[in-house]
């Protein structure tokens, strides 16, 4: 007989089923709780709430484990490519060589965006943050592919829209940067790989020759893999919530981009560099900022430290730290912000406040440093995260549909005024 837990309430005993995952994670199934007991659960920030079962990503925050479809993040970063990982996340299995080639081919065939999209770009002021531009553009893709609006869309059309999104995201991302710079946009170069094509669209200027640096393209590909999925994080949960209303793939992904934007989520990579620059401008006094981060009356937090689920170390941070050192030494970069980052890491890791609360550097602490070394401007960092996270969001959206999950609709405990009469 499967396990249950007992709830004693108002003199009655209720049996609540226990659901077990393949890695021995256990959950209390409360789907009938309200109907049977009148109770709901209260869990602000969903710290203890499993919103779904999922077979995409396994993560053990205590042990520092991250796996996509059963493959360790360490193996995938070392042996795979971003597009292969994207295929794995979306279609459950690593592709055969032939399947991977045709997947890549399809993606290169769809890298162009409709010329009319330029009119949308024209409407944005140069001051527009590229994340806002990206989410608007991804949303507007639904207008160009209206067949995606059909909630009963068949899997072939879904696959085509998935290909379109993966293919066009780098073009839109690079164009949002060009828009900010006021420079002419570059069209995709389909002779290049995914990361290399993106770098060329970002940095190539009509006035000079541009050759993609292989170390940079490789580092970027690895970074995209590291960010490709992270189970039910804020943006993935957002994609699922929006997708659960049968909104289009494009609208759901646009919502994910917006959720990622905030500095407590994907925006942390931008916030890390801004914090390091601020400390540098303030004379490099690391101790002062450690003190500020510990002060409850000061809203300052060490950006790039702490994680909702990793409480010992972030496995992505370990991998990325190695790449960070490689990139910086191969580019011969000696950067004072990097020195500050190293010092900050050293001091925080031995400080009681951080040790007690298990606050370790997360992936974004190092990713910002690599992006900076690759010449990517700070305000584009979160866009880079979005490029990487795209296959994960798509996989979450697809799984939600395949599971036929009901519309997301949490409850609340009301704490406002009770009925009052309208007498002004
Ligand atoms: N600097 C100083 N104190 C911190 C920090 C930090 N970066 N992070 C957490 N704390 C303290 C917090 O004040 C609290 O202390 P106390 O128990 O005394 O009140 C305790 O640690 C627990 O923090 P929390 O806010 O309850 O933890 P959370 O799980 O709700 O938040 C977090 C996780 C990532 C939002 C948070 O650690 C944070 O704000 N970090 C900085 C932003 C950041 O780097 N975000 C990127 C996360 S990785 C990318 C991704 O996967 O999205």
């Amino acid at each position: 007989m499967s396990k249950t837990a007992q709830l004693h309430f108002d003199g009655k005993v209720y049996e609540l089923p226990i659901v077990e995952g393949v890695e021995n994670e256990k959950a209390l199934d409360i789907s009938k709780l309200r109907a049977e007991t009148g109770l709901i659960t209260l869990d602000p920030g969903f710290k203890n709430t499993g919103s779904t079962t999922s077979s995409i990503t396994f993560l053990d925050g205590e042990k520092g484990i991250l796996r996509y479809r059963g493959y360790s993040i360490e193996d995938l970063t070392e042996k795979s490519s971003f597009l292969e990982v994207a295929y794995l996340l979306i279609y459950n299995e690593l592709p055969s060589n032939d399947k991977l080639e045709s997947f890549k081919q399809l993606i290169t065939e769809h890298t162009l965006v409709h010329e009319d999209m330029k009119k949308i770009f024209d409407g944005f002021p140069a001051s527009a943050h590229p994340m806002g531009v990206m989410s608007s553009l991804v949303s507007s893709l639904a207008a160009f592919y209206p067949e995606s609006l059909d909630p009963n869309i068949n899997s072939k059309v879904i696959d085509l829209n998935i290909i379109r999104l993966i293919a066009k995201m780098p073009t839109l991302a690079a164009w949002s940067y060009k828009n900010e710079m006021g420079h002419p946009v570059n069209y995709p170069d389909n002779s290049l790989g995914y990361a290399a094509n993106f770098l060329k669209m970002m940095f190539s200027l009509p006035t000079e020759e541009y050759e993609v640096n292989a170390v940079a393209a490789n580092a970027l590909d690895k970074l995209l893999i590291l960010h490709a999925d992270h189970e039910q994080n804020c943006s993935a949960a957002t994609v699922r919530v929006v997708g659960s209303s049968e909104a289009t793939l494009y609208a759901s992904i646009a919502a994910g981009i917006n959720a990622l934007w905030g500095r407590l989520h994907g925006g942390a990579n931008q916030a890390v560099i801004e914090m390091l620059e601020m400390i540098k401008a303030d004379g490099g006094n690391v101790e002062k900022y450690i003190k500020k981060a510990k002060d409850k009356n000061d809203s300052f937090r060490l950006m790039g430290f702490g994680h909702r689920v990793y409480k010992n170390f972030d496995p992505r941070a370990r991998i990325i730290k190695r790449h960070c050192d490689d990139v910086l030494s191969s580019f011969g970069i000696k950067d004072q912000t990097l020195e500050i980052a190293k010092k900050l890491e050293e001091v925080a890791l031995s400080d009681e406040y951080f040790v007690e609360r298990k606050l370790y550097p997360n992936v974004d602490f190092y990713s910002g440093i690599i992006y900076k070394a690759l010449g990517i401007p700070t305000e584009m960092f979160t866009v880079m995260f979005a490029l990487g996270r795209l296959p994960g969001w798509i996989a979450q959206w697809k799984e939600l549909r395949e599971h036929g999950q009901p519309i997301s609709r949490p409850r609340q405990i009301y704490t406002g005024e009770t009925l009052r009469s309208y007498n002004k």
Side-chain angles (χ1 to χ4, degrees), residues 144-174:
F144 292 88
Y145 306 108
E147 71 279 10
S148 65
L149 298 172
D150 177 2
N152 299 315
I153 189 170
N154 70 45
S155 62
K156 263 195 165 161
V157 185
I158 289 181
D159 285 345
L160 178 58
N161 283 299
I162 289 174
I163 294 286
R164 282 177 178 144
L165 249 180
I166 299 175
K168 293 176 201 310
M169 273 282 274
T171 314
L172 297 178

PDB file of all heavy atoms in Angstrom, residues 144-174:
ATOM      1  N   PHE A 144       3.001  37.073 -36.037  1.00  0.00           N
ATOM      2  CA  PHE A 144       3.555  36.639 -37.331  1.00  0.00           C
ATOM      3  C   PHE A 144       3.233  35.168 -37.605  1.00  0.00           C
ATOM      4  O   PHE A 144       3.274  34.732 -38.746  1.00  0.00           O
ATOM      5  CB  PHE A 144       5.072  36.877 -37.359  1.00  0.00           C
ATOM      6  CG  PHE A 144       5.414  38.342 -37.371  1.00  0.00           C
ATOM      7  CD1 PHE A 144       5.552  39.050 -36.181  1.00  0.00           C
ATOM      8  CD2 PHE A 144       5.558  39.024 -38.574  1.00  0.00           C
ATOM      9  CE1 PHE A 144       5.837  40.407 -36.183  1.00  0.00           C
ATOM     10  CE2 PHE A 144       5.846  40.388 -38.590  1.00  0.00           C
ATOM     11  CZ  PHE A 144       5.987  41.080 -37.388  1.00  0.00           C
ATOM     12  N   TYR A 145       2.962  34.433 -36.549  1.00  0.00           N
ATOM     13  CA  TYR A 145       2.644  32.999 -36.709  1.00  0.00           C
ATOM     14  C   TYR A 145       1.314  32.705 -36.005  1.00  0.00           C
ATOM     15  O   TYR A 145       1.272  32.020 -34.984  1.00  0.00           O
ATOM     16  CB  TYR A 145       3.788  32.137 -36.142  1.00  0.00           C
ATOM     17  CG  TYR A 145       5.108  32.538 -36.766  1.00  0.00           C
ATOM     18  CD1 TYR A 145       6.069  33.228 -36.039  1.00  0.00           C
ATOM     19  CD2 TYR A 145       5.341  32.277 -38.107  1.00  0.00           C
ATOM     20  CE1 TYR A 145       7.247  33.650 -36.640  1.00  0.00           C
ATOM     21  CE2 TYR A 145       6.520  32.695 -38.716  1.00  0.00           C
ATOM     22  CZ  TYR A 145       7.456  33.383 -37.971  1.00  0.00           C
ATOM     23  OH  TYR A 145       8.608  33.799 -38.568  1.00  0.00           O
ATOM     24  N   PRO A 146       0.214  33.248 -36.552  1.00  0.00           N
ATOM     25  CA  PRO A 146      -1.071  33.168 -35.838  1.00  0.00           C
ATOM     26  C   PRO A 146      -1.576  31.740 -35.628  1.00  0.00           C
ATOM     27  O   PRO A 146      -2.393  31.507 -34.742  1.00  0.00           O
ATOM     28  CB  PRO A 146      -2.036  33.964 -36.730  1.00  0.00           C
ATOM     29  CG  PRO A 146      -1.356  34.131 -38.034  1.00  0.00           C
ATOM     30  CD  PRO A 146       0.111  33.993 -37.817  1.00  0.00           C
ATOM     31  N   GLU A 147      -1.061  30.794 -36.403  1.00  0.00           N
ATOM     32  CA  GLU A 147      -1.504  29.408 -36.192  1.00  0.00           C
ATOM     33  C   GLU A 147      -1.106  28.920 -34.794  1.00  0.00           C
ATOM     34  O   GLU A 147      -1.688  27.977 -34.261  1.00  0.00           O
ATOM     35  CB  GLU A 147      -0.961  28.461 -37.284  1.00  0.00           C
ATOM     36  CG  GLU A 147       0.524  28.152 -37.236  1.00  0.00           C
ATOM     37  CD  GLU A 147       1.408  29.230 -37.852  1.00  0.00           C
ATOM     38  OE1 GLU A 147       0.910  30.335 -38.159  1.00  0.00           O
ATOM     39  OE2 GLU A 147       2.617  28.976 -38.021  1.00  0.00           O
ATOM     40  N   SER A 148      -0.123  29.620 -34.182  1.00  0.00           N
ATOM     41  CA  SER A 148       0.313  29.222 -32.836  1.00  0.00           C
ATOM     42  C   SER A 148      -0.771  29.531 -31.791  1.00  0.00           C
ATOM     43  O   SER A 148      -0.690  29.078 -30.655  1.00  0.00           O
ATOM     44  CB  SER A 148       1.605  29.946 -32.459  1.00  0.00           C
ATOM     45  OG  SER A 148       1.358  31.341 -32.364  1.00  0.00           O
ATOM     46  N   LEU A 149      -1.765  30.334 -32.168  1.00  0.00           N
ATOM     47  CA  LEU A 149      -2.799  30.734 -31.205  1.00  0.00           C
ATOM     48  C   LEU A 149      -3.820  29.619 -30.940  1.00  0.00           C
ATOM     49  O   LEU A 149      -4.518  29.649 -29.935  1.00  0.00           O
ATOM     50  CB  LEU A 149      -3.567  31.960 -31.723  1.00  0.00           C
ATOM     51  CG  LEU A 149      -2.752  33.236 -31.934  1.00  0.00           C
ATOM     52  CD1 LEU A 149      -3.593  34.301 -32.618  1.00  0.00           C
ATOM     53  CD2 LEU A 149      -2.234  33.769 -30.611  1.00  0.00           C
ATOM     54  N   ASP A 150      -3.892  28.668 -31.847  1.00  0.00           N
ATOM     55  CA  ASP A 150      -4.891  27.604 -31.714  1.00  0.00           C
ATOM     56  C   ASP A 150      -4.549  26.708 -30.518  1.00  0.00           C
ATOM     57  O   ASP A 150      -3.509  26.056 -30.500  1.00  0.00           O
ATOM     58  CB  ASP A 150      -4.884  26.794 -33.027  1.00  0.00           C
ATOM     59  CG  ASP A 150      -5.844  25.619 -32.975  1.00  0.00           C
ATOM     60  OD1 ASP A 150      -6.535  25.462 -31.946  1.00  0.00           O
ATOM     61  OD2 ASP A 150      -5.884  24.867 -33.957  1.00  0.00           O
ATOM     62  N   PRO A 151      -5.427  26.664 -29.513  1.00  0.00           N
ATOM     63  CA  PRO A 151      -5.100  25.834 -28.337  1.00  0.00           C
ATOM     64  C   PRO A 151      -5.030  24.340 -28.674  1.00  0.00           C
ATOM     65  O   PRO A 151      -4.411  23.571 -27.949  1.00  0.00           O
ATOM     66  CB  PRO A 151      -6.243  26.111 -27.351  1.00  0.00           C
ATOM     67  CG  PRO A 151      -7.313  26.788 -28.131  1.00  0.00           C
ATOM     68  CD  PRO A 151      -6.711  27.370 -29.363  1.00  0.00           C
ATOM     69  N   ASN A 152      -5.655  23.941 -29.800  1.00  0.00           N
ATOM     70  CA  ASN A 152      -5.608  22.523 -30.187  1.00  0.00           C
ATOM     71  C   ASN A 152      -4.553  22.258 -31.255  1.00  0.00           C
ATOM     72  O   ASN A 152      -4.642  21.291 -32.009  1.00  0.00           O
ATOM     73  CB  ASN A 152      -6.978  22.074 -30.714  1.00  0.00           C
ATOM     74  CG  ASN A 152      -8.028  22.238 -29.649  1.00  0.00           C
ATOM     75  OD1 ASN A 152      -7.802  21.862 -28.494  1.00  0.00           O
ATOM     76  ND2 ASN A 152      -9.154  22.841 -29.998  1.00  0.00           N
ATOM     77  N   ILE A 153      -3.595  23.127 -31.324  1.00  0.00           N
ATOM     78  CA  ILE A 153      -2.488  23.052 -32.284  1.00  0.00           C
ATOM     79  C   ILE A 153      -1.871  21.639 -32.268  1.00  0.00           C
ATOM     80  O   ILE A 153      -1.718  21.042 -31.202  1.00  0.00           O
ATOM     81  CB  ILE A 153      -1.461  24.123 -31.846  1.00  0.00           C
ATOM     82  CG1 ILE A 153      -0.356  24.344 -32.825  1.00  0.00           C
ATOM     83  CG2 ILE A 153      -0.899  23.821 -30.520  1.00  0.00           C
ATOM     84  CD1 ILE A 153       0.484  25.581 -32.437  1.00  0.00           C
ATOM     85  N   ASN A 154      -1.547  21.108 -33.451  1.00  0.00           N
ATOM     86  CA  ASN A 154      -0.979  19.747 -33.449  1.00  0.00           C
ATOM     87  C   ASN A 154       0.532  19.770 -33.218  1.00  0.00           C
ATOM     88  O   ASN A 154       1.177  20.820 -33.290  1.00  0.00           O
ATOM     89  CB  ASN A 154      -1.374  18.974 -34.721  1.00  0.00           C
ATOM     90  CG  ASN A 154      -0.690  19.513 -35.950  1.00  0.00           C
ATOM     91  OD1 ASN A 154       0.509  19.777 -35.931  1.00  0.00           O
ATOM     92  ND2 ASN A 154      -1.451  19.702 -37.023  1.00  0.00           N
ATOM     93  N   SER A 155       1.079  18.606 -32.919  1.00  0.00           N
ATOM     94  CA  SER A 155       2.469  18.580 -32.459  1.00  0.00           C
ATOM     95  C   SER A 155       3.458  19.020 -33.553  1.00  0.00           C
ATOM     96  O   SER A 155       4.517  19.565 -33.250  1.00  0.00           O
ATOM     97  CB  SER A 155       2.842  17.196 -31.936  1.00  0.00           C
ATOM     98  OG  SER A 155       2.741  16.271 -32.976  1.00  0.00           O
ATOM     99  N   LYS A 156       3.080  18.826 -34.823  1.00  0.00           N
ATOM    100  CA  LYS A 156       3.974  19.278 -35.907  1.00  0.00           C
ATOM    101  C   LYS A 156       4.117  20.804 -35.891  1.00  0.00           C
ATOM    102  O   LYS A 156       5.207  21.347 -36.051  1.00  0.00           O
ATOM    103  CB  LYS A 156       3.387  18.858 -37.262  1.00  0.00           C
ATOM    104  CG  LYS A 156       3.980  17.594 -37.796  1.00  0.00           C
ATOM    105  CD  LYS A 156       3.637  17.477 -39.236  1.00  0.00           C
ATOM    106  CE  LYS A 156       4.529  16.424 -39.852  1.00  0.00           C
ATOM    107  NZ  LYS A 156       4.017  15.927 -41.087  1.00  0.00           N
ATOM    108  N   VAL A 157       2.981  21.479 -35.703  1.00  0.00           N
ATOM    109  CA  VAL A 157       3.011  22.950 -35.682  1.00  0.00           C
ATOM    110  C   VAL A 157       3.720  23.421 -34.413  1.00  0.00           C
ATOM    111  O   VAL A 157       4.472  24.413 -34.439  1.00  0.00           O
ATOM    112  CB  VAL A 157       1.579  23.543 -35.791  1.00  0.00           C
ATOM    113  CG1 VAL A 157       1.626  25.055 -35.900  1.00  0.00           C
ATOM    114  CG2 VAL A 157       0.839  22.952 -36.978  1.00  0.00           C
ATOM    115  N   ILE A 158       3.504  22.708 -33.314  1.00  0.00           N
ATOM    116  CA  ILE A 158       4.221  23.064 -32.076  1.00  0.00           C
ATOM    117  C   ILE A 158       5.723  22.967 -32.335  1.00  0.00           C
ATOM    118  O   ILE A 158       6.488  23.880 -32.007  1.00  0.00           O
ATOM    119  CB  ILE A 158       3.811  22.144 -30.903  1.00  0.00           C
ATOM    120  CG1 ILE A 158       2.378  22.466 -30.473  1.00  0.00           C
ATOM    121  CG2 ILE A 158       4.776  22.286 -29.720  1.00  0.00           C
ATOM    122  CD1 ILE A 158       1.864  21.644 -29.317  1.00  0.00           C
ATOM    123  N   ASP A 159       6.154  21.863 -32.949  1.00  0.00           N
ATOM    124  CA  ASP A 159       7.584  21.676 -33.211  1.00  0.00           C
ATOM    125  C   ASP A 159       8.141  22.809 -34.074  1.00  0.00           C
ATOM    126  O   ASP A 159       9.236  23.304 -33.839  1.00  0.00           O
ATOM    127  CB  ASP A 159       7.832  20.327 -33.909  1.00  0.00           C
ATOM    128  CG  ASP A 159       7.707  19.172 -32.920  1.00  0.00           C
ATOM    129  OD1 ASP A 159       7.729  19.435 -31.703  1.00  0.00           O
ATOM    130  OD2 ASP A 159       7.575  18.025 -33.368  1.00  0.00           O
ATOM    131  N   LEU A 160       7.350  23.218 -35.080  1.00  0.00           N
ATOM    132  CA  LEU A 160       7.805  24.295 -35.959  1.00  0.00           C
ATOM    133  C   LEU A 160       7.964  25.595 -35.164  1.00  0.00           C
ATOM    134  O   LEU A 160       8.942  26.332 -35.328  1.00  0.00           O
ATOM    135  CB  LEU A 160       6.802  24.470 -37.110  1.00  0.00           C
ATOM    136  CG  LEU A 160       7.114  25.594 -38.094  1.00  0.00           C
ATOM    137  CD1 LEU A 160       8.481  25.400 -38.740  1.00  0.00           C
ATOM    138  CD2 LEU A 160       6.029  25.669 -39.177  1.00  0.00           C
ATOM    139  N   ASN A 161       7.027  25.854 -34.270  1.00  0.00           N
ATOM    140  CA  ASN A 161       7.128  27.079 -33.462  1.00  0.00           C
ATOM    141  C   ASN A 161       8.299  27.012 -32.482  1.00  0.00           C
ATOM    142  O   ASN A 161       8.931  28.032 -32.187  1.00  0.00           O
ATOM    143  CB  ASN A 161       5.801  27.349 -32.747  1.00  0.00           C
ATOM    144  CG  ASN A 161       4.783  27.928 -33.710  1.00  0.00           C
ATOM    145  OD1 ASN A 161       4.997  29.003 -34.268  1.00  0.00           O
ATOM    146  ND2 ASN A 161       3.707  27.210 -33.961  1.00  0.00           N
ATOM    147  N   ILE A 162       8.577  25.814 -32.011  1.00  0.00           N
ATOM    148  CA  ILE A 162       9.741  25.644 -31.124  1.00  0.00           C
ATOM    149  C   ILE A 162      11.025  25.961 -31.903  1.00  0.00           C
ATOM    150  O   ILE A 162      11.906  26.690 -31.425  1.00  0.00           O
ATOM    151  CB  ILE A 162       9.768  24.195 -30.557  1.00  0.00           C
ATOM    152  CG1 ILE A 162       8.637  24.022 -29.533  1.00  0.00           C
ATOM    153  CG2 ILE A 162      11.126  23.866 -29.941  1.00  0.00           C
ATOM    154  CD1 ILE A 162       8.462  22.602 -29.008  1.00  0.00           C
ATOM    155  N   ILE A 163      11.113  25.404 -33.111  1.00  0.00           N
ATOM    156  CA  ILE A 163      12.288  25.666 -33.954  1.00  0.00           C
ATOM    157  C   ILE A 163      12.419  27.169 -34.222  1.00  0.00           C
ATOM    158  O   ILE A 163      13.498  27.753 -34.101  1.00  0.00           O
ATOM    159  CB  ILE A 163      12.168  24.904 -35.311  1.00  0.00           C
ATOM    160  CG1 ILE A 163      12.224  23.397 -35.097  1.00  0.00           C
ATOM    161  CG2 ILE A 163      13.202  25.383 -36.327  1.00  0.00           C
ATOM    162  CD1 ILE A 163      13.580  22.841 -34.761  1.00  0.00           C
ATOM    163  N   ARG A 164      11.286  27.780 -34.555  1.00  0.00           N
ATOM    164  CA  ARG A 164      11.322  29.230 -34.852  1.00  0.00           C
ATOM    165  C   ARG A 164      11.875  30.008 -33.663  1.00  0.00           C
ATOM    166  O   ARG A 164      12.722  30.884 -33.817  1.00  0.00           O
ATOM    167  CB  ARG A 164       9.908  29.730 -35.146  1.00  0.00           C
ATOM    168  CG  ARG A 164       9.431  29.398 -36.536  1.00  0.00           C
ATOM    169  CD  ARG A 164       7.983  29.877 -36.677  1.00  0.00           C
ATOM    170  NE  ARG A 164       7.485  29.636 -38.012  1.00  0.00           N
ATOM    171  CZ  ARG A 164       6.227  29.293 -38.270  1.00  0.00           C
ATOM    172  NH1 ARG A 164       5.364  29.152 -37.287  1.00  0.00           N
ATOM    173  NH2 ARG A 164       5.838  29.103 -39.514  1.00  0.00           N
ATOM    174  N   LEU A 165      11.376  29.670 -32.464  1.00  0.00           N
ATOM    175  CA  LEU A 165      11.811  30.417 -31.284  1.00  0.00           C
ATOM    176  C   LEU A 165      13.313  30.263 -31.041  1.00  0.00           C
ATOM    177  O   LEU A 165      14.019  31.246 -30.821  1.00  0.00           O
ATOM    178  CB  LEU A 165      11.063  29.881 -30.060  1.00  0.00           C
ATOM    179  CG  LEU A 165      10.051  30.794 -29.419  1.00  0.00           C
ATOM    180  CD1 LEU A 165       9.418  30.111 -28.223  1.00  0.00           C
ATOM    181  CD2 LEU A 165      10.668  32.111 -28.990  1.00  0.00           C
ATOM    182  N   ILE A 166      13.770  29.003 -31.082  1.00  0.00           N
ATOM    183  CA  ILE A 166      15.203  28.774 -30.808  1.00  0.00           C
ATOM    184  C   ILE A 166      16.044  29.474 -31.885  1.00  0.00           C
ATOM    185  O   ILE A 166      17.084  30.060 -31.587  1.00  0.00           O
ATOM    186  CB  ILE A 166      15.520  27.263 -30.757  1.00  0.00           C
ATOM    187  CG1 ILE A 166      14.724  26.601 -29.627  1.00  0.00           C
ATOM    188  CG2 ILE A 166      17.018  27.020 -30.553  1.00  0.00           C
ATOM    189  CD1 ILE A 166      14.868  25.091 -29.549  1.00  0.00           C
ATOM    190  N   ALA A 167      15.560  29.433 -33.122  1.00  0.00           N
ATOM    191  CA  ALA A 167      16.322  30.028 -34.222  1.00  0.00           C
ATOM    192  C   ALA A 167      16.344  31.545 -34.160  1.00  0.00           C
ATOM    193  O   ALA A 167      17.365  32.184 -34.441  1.00  0.00           O
ATOM    194  CB  ALA A 167      15.721  29.571 -35.558  1.00  0.00           C
ATOM    195  N   LYS A 168      15.225  32.133 -33.778  1.00  0.00           N
ATOM    196  CA  LYS A 168      15.115  33.596 -33.874  1.00  0.00           C
ATOM    197  C   LYS A 168      15.569  34.336 -32.619  1.00  0.00           C
ATOM    198  O   LYS A 168      15.861  35.531 -32.677  1.00  0.00           O
ATOM    199  CB  LYS A 168      13.660  33.984 -34.196  1.00  0.00           C
ATOM    200  CG  LYS A 168      13.246  33.530 -35.597  1.00  0.00           C
ATOM    201  CD  LYS A 168      11.790  33.826 -35.878  1.00  0.00           C
ATOM    202  CE  LYS A 168      11.248  32.964 -37.011  1.00  0.00           C
ATOM    203  NZ  LYS A 168      12.032  32.933 -38.232  1.00  0.00           N
ATOM    204  N   MET A 169      15.633  33.643 -31.489  1.00  0.00           N
ATOM    205  CA  MET A 169      16.013  34.339 -30.241  1.00  0.00           C
ATOM    206  C   MET A 169      17.365  35.042 -30.364  1.00  0.00           C
ATOM    207  O   MET A 169      17.482  36.196 -29.959  1.00  0.00           O
ATOM    208  CB  MET A 169      16.036  33.360 -29.063  1.00  0.00           C
ATOM    209  CG  MET A 169      14.708  33.187 -28.375  1.00  0.00           C
ATOM    210  SD  MET A 169      14.262  34.522 -27.242  1.00  0.00           S
ATOM    211  CE  MET A 169      15.069  33.980 -25.743  1.00  0.00           C
ATOM    212  N   PRO A 170      18.431  34.356 -30.893  1.00  0.00           N
ATOM    213  CA  PRO A 170      19.702  35.079 -30.987  1.00  0.00           C
ATOM    214  C   PRO A 170      19.609  36.303 -31.903  1.00  0.00           C
ATOM    215  O   PRO A 170      20.209  37.341 -31.619  1.00  0.00           O
ATOM    216  CB  PRO A 170      20.662  34.034 -31.593  1.00  0.00           C
ATOM    217  CG  PRO A 170      20.033  32.715 -31.305  1.00  0.00           C
ATOM    218  CD  PRO A 170      18.553  32.953 -31.317  1.00  0.00           C
ATOM    219  N   THR A 171      18.819  36.180 -32.977  1.00  0.00           N
ATOM    220  CA  THR A 171      18.684  37.322 -33.894  1.00  0.00           C
ATOM    221  C   THR A 171      18.004  38.480 -33.156  1.00  0.00           C
ATOM    222  O   THR A 171      18.472  39.620 -33.197  1.00  0.00           O
ATOM    223  CB  THR A 171      17.837  36.908 -35.134  1.00  0.00           C
ATOM    224  OG1 THR A 171      18.310  35.653 -35.602  1.00  0.00           O
ATOM    225  CG2 THR A 171      17.911  37.950 -36.224  1.00  0.00           C
ATOM    226  N   LEU A 172      16.920  38.169 -32.454  1.00  0.00           N
ATOM    227  CA  LEU A 172      16.201  39.224 -31.722  1.00  0.00           C
ATOM    228  C   LEU A 172      17.082  39.825 -30.630  1.00  0.00           C
ATOM    229  O   LEU A 172      17.085  41.040 -30.408  1.00  0.00           O
ATOM    230  CB  LEU A 172      14.920  38.663 -31.093  1.00  0.00           C
ATOM    231  CG  LEU A 172      13.859  38.129 -32.068  1.00  0.00           C
ATOM    232  CD1 LEU A 172      12.673  37.551 -31.295  1.00  0.00           C
ATOM    233  CD2 LEU A 172      13.390  39.227 -33.010  1.00  0.00           C
ATOM    234  N   ALA A 173      17.840  38.953 -29.954  1.00  0.00           N
ATOM    235  CA  ALA A 173      18.695  39.435 -28.862  1.00  0.00           C
ATOM    236  C   ALA A 173      19.764  40.375 -29.410  1.00  0.00           C
ATOM    237  O   ALA A 173      19.983  41.474 -28.876  1.00  0.00           O
ATOM    238  CB  ALA A 173      19.342  38.246 -28.154  1.00  0.00           C
ATOM    239  N   ALA A 174      20.429  39.957 -30.493  1.00  0.00           N
ATOM    240  CA  ALA A 174      21.485  40.804 -31.071  1.00  0.00           C
ATOM    241  C   ALA A 174      20.880  42.100 -31.604  1.00  0.00           C
ATOM    242  O   ALA A 174      21.459  43.183 -31.442  1.00  0.00           O
ATOM    243  CB  ALA A 174      22.207  40.045 -32.181  1.00  0.00           C
TER     244      ALA A 174
END
